[in-house]
Amino acid sequence: MSVAPRPVDERILSELDHARILGLMRRTSLSEAQKHALDALLDAADVVPVRDIPPDVVTMNTRLRLHAEGEAAPRDITLCYPEDANAEAGQVSLLSPMGASVLGHRVGGEAEWLLPTGALRTARILALHFQPEAAGQYTT
């Protein structure tokens, strides 16, 4: 029996990310797990104007450092759309369990997702190296 991830802390989405995720869901064939993860994200998140996103929140195209439970060292990833995903370059798709899980969390927050085995994985967001909105990029 697998355990569904539980909300760990508040999630915040920009209106732009929210709209783009809805568009992605309409035009992409998603697995049941992907659909469930994105629906849960959209339902749980507070949606704010793009210019009101706090600088410590993971948004699309954010480069962040996280430390997953059970991993020896933290790692850097960039949260991206599926067409830009490249695991070797650390570009993690929003449609991956990890990607859907980190979006909207603040630095210091914990993201949770299910592994293909059904095991629950937890990671703490340690830092944001780049967030488009904090850099004044409101349309990327």
Side-chain angles (χ1 to χ4, degrees):
M1 174 181 204
S2 66
V3 177
R6 68 188 190 293
V8 178
D9 57 1
E10 147 186 74
R11 311 255 320 249
I12 302 171
L13 287 180
S14 73
E15 291 172 337
L16 180 61
D17 285 350
H18 187 271
R20 288 183 173 170
I21 292 167
L22 286 174
L24 178 69
M25 291 176 74
R26 280 193 294 272
R27 69 178 185 276
T28 305
S29 177
L30 301 174
S31 71
E32 282 301 313
Q34 290 169 326
K35 183 177 178 346
H36 177 75
L38 293 178
D39 282 340
L41 168 63
L42 295 176
D43 289 345
D46 292 327
V47 180
V48 302
V50 69
R51 292 181 185 270
D52 293 343
I53 283 287
D56 66 338
V57 171
V58 177
T59 62
M60 290 306 300
N61 299 308
T62 292
R63 183 144 182 82
L64 62 133
R65 174 163 284 206
L66 57 78
H67 190 213
E69 179 184 358
E71 291 186 0
R75 63 177 152 153
D76 295 332
I77 65 167
T78 299
L79 181 60
C80 64
Y81 291 100
E83 60 271 14
D84 298 321
N86 179 334
E88 291 178 10
Q91 294 171 278
V92 175
S93 172
L94 168 67
L95 295 183
S96 71
M98 178 194 290
S101 177
V102 300
L103 182 63
H105 282 291
R106 290 180 178 264
V107 171
E110 286 189 350
E112 291 184 339
W113 65 95
L114 291 176
L115 298 172
T117 63
L120 187 64
R121 174 61 69 89
T122 303
R124 181 165 302 279
I125 312 297
L126 301 177
L128 302 188
H129 300 303
F130 173 80
Q131 182 211 59
E133 294 80 4
Q137 299 175 9
Y138 300 112
T139 60
T140 58

